[in-house]
Amino acid sequence: MTARATWLETILRHDRAALAVVVIAIPLLAWTWVVVLAADMYGPMSGASKWMMTMVWDGPHLLLLWAMWAVMMAGMMLPSATPLLLFYGGAARNRDGGESAAPRIYALAAGYLLIWAAFSVAATVLQRVLGRALLFTPMMEPATPYLAAGILIVAGVYQFLPIKHLCLQACRSPISFLMQRWRPGVAGAFRMGAAHGIYCLGCCWALMLLLFAGGVMNLAVILALTVWIVIEKTAPFGAHGARLAGVVLLIIAGWMLVGAP
């Protein structure tokens, strides 16, 4: 006799519920965790962020640091992937005659997040390198304005490069991406999510470096970057706005260098 599906299994098979999970629930949970962590770091430092004050970065602490980055990337990047997820949900259901697309929606999101989880490994390594060189403080902030200005220059220059705009165009055209790269099945959805994640990484990795300039746990910087990435990917002026953002970043970098001691 087939076991009766649990309420959780029933929810997870429902297309709309799947979209709600990846578009709303996961980003909301990620943001909740980031806010709690940031509030504790800039507050009593007695709770969630206490482990970051360690002087010994062993395996468990590095894993926690990676998890912090991975959760933060999920909260920041999934909102910008919402158009892709929504279009895919409708297209997958229509192609299969109304059959539930929930497993493939989860697979698409998983492939996308895998790329940002890999980026989180690189961010973790970079943070430890900067920390060992005494260029980054235990509060996850740059120890010198020259480091912050250098990061701003890298991010600003990247906004003008052809590869930035090639990747941005792919991110701004989810329907075109789906038409050109459609793959059937759960495995195909996962590969499509990873492919889109690579374009997204190519578009936004330099902007993510700004977390090192403004403070990794600075909620104002995290929120501003999240909003700006959504604007670049979805607003009519997003492509031109990317170059404008580059100009602004270079101006701020110059101002910081002039005012540095």
Side-chain angles (χ1 to χ4, degrees):
M1 182 176 179
T2 303
R4 186 177 181 180
T6 66
W7 65 270
L8 180 59
E9 290 171 339
T10 301
I11 289 176
L12 293 180
R13 283 200 300 263
H14 198 285
D15 294 0
R16 292 182 181 176
L19 288 170
V21 167
V22 297
V23 171
I24 300 175
I26 293 178
L28 183 60
L29 288 172
W31 269 94
T32 299
W33 193 81
V34 169
V35 169
V36 169
L37 195 64
D40 187 58
M41 172 168 281
Y42 290 101
M45 288 191 293
S46 60
S49 68
K50 188 177 181 179
W51 59 267
M52 286 187 281
M53 298 296 109
T54 183
M55 298 300 293
V56 180
W57 283 94
D58 53 11
H61 282 93
L62 286 173
L63 182 61
L64 284 169
L65 184 61
W66 169 82
M68 180 208 74
W69 274 100
V71 171
M72 185 160 58
M73 291 302 99
M76 295 177 70
M77 299 311 304
L78 271 179
S80 70
T82 296
L84 175 75
L85 291 162
L86 293 177
F87 284 129
Y88 178 80
R93 186 168 56 252
N94 291 335
R95 284 189 175 224
D96 291 332
E99 181 183 344
S100 173
R104 285 164 290 166
I105 292 172
Y106 291 127
L108 185 77
Y112 181 81
L113 290 177
L114 175 65
I115 301 303
W116 286 104
F119 170 81
S120 299
V121 174
T124 299
V125 172
L126 178 58
Q127 183 169 335
R128 291 311 308 139
V129 169
L130 293 175
R132 288 193 178 191
L134 302 180
L135 295 174
F136 215 57
T137 73
M139 292 294 291
M140 298 189 177
E141 297 174 343
T144 166
Y146 294 105
L147 173 62
I151 293 172
L152 288 169
I153 290 173
V154 170
V157 169
Y158 190 75
Q159 293 292 96
F160 294 95
L161 298 184
I163 188 172
K164 159 74 180 190
H165 292 274
L166 174 66
C167 294
L168 179 58
Q169 183 58 38
C171 292
R172 288 177 55 84
S173 307
I175 297 178
S176 176
F177 174 85
L178 291 174
M179 292 177 62
Q180 295 175 9
R181 293 180 172 267
W182 187 270
R183 297 179 184 274
V186 172
F190 182 86
R191 293 173 63 184
M192 289 170 62
H196 192 77
I198 291 172
Y199 277 118
C200 188
L201 179 63
C203 173
C204 302
W205 70 268
L207 289 175
M208 288 303 174
L209 292 184
L210 295 176
L211 291 167
F212 287 102
V216 172
M217 283 285 100
N218 187 320
L219 285 177
V221 175
I222 297 172
L223 180 59
L225 282 174
T226 302
V227 172
W228 180 251
I229 288 169
V230 171
I231 289 174
E232 274 197 357
K233 291 186 177 183
T234 61
F237 58 87
H240 298 294
R243 295 185 178 88
L244 176 60
V247 172
V248 172
L249 290 173
L250 292 175
I251 290 174
I252 295 174
W255 174 78
M256 293 180 68
L257 290 174
V258 169

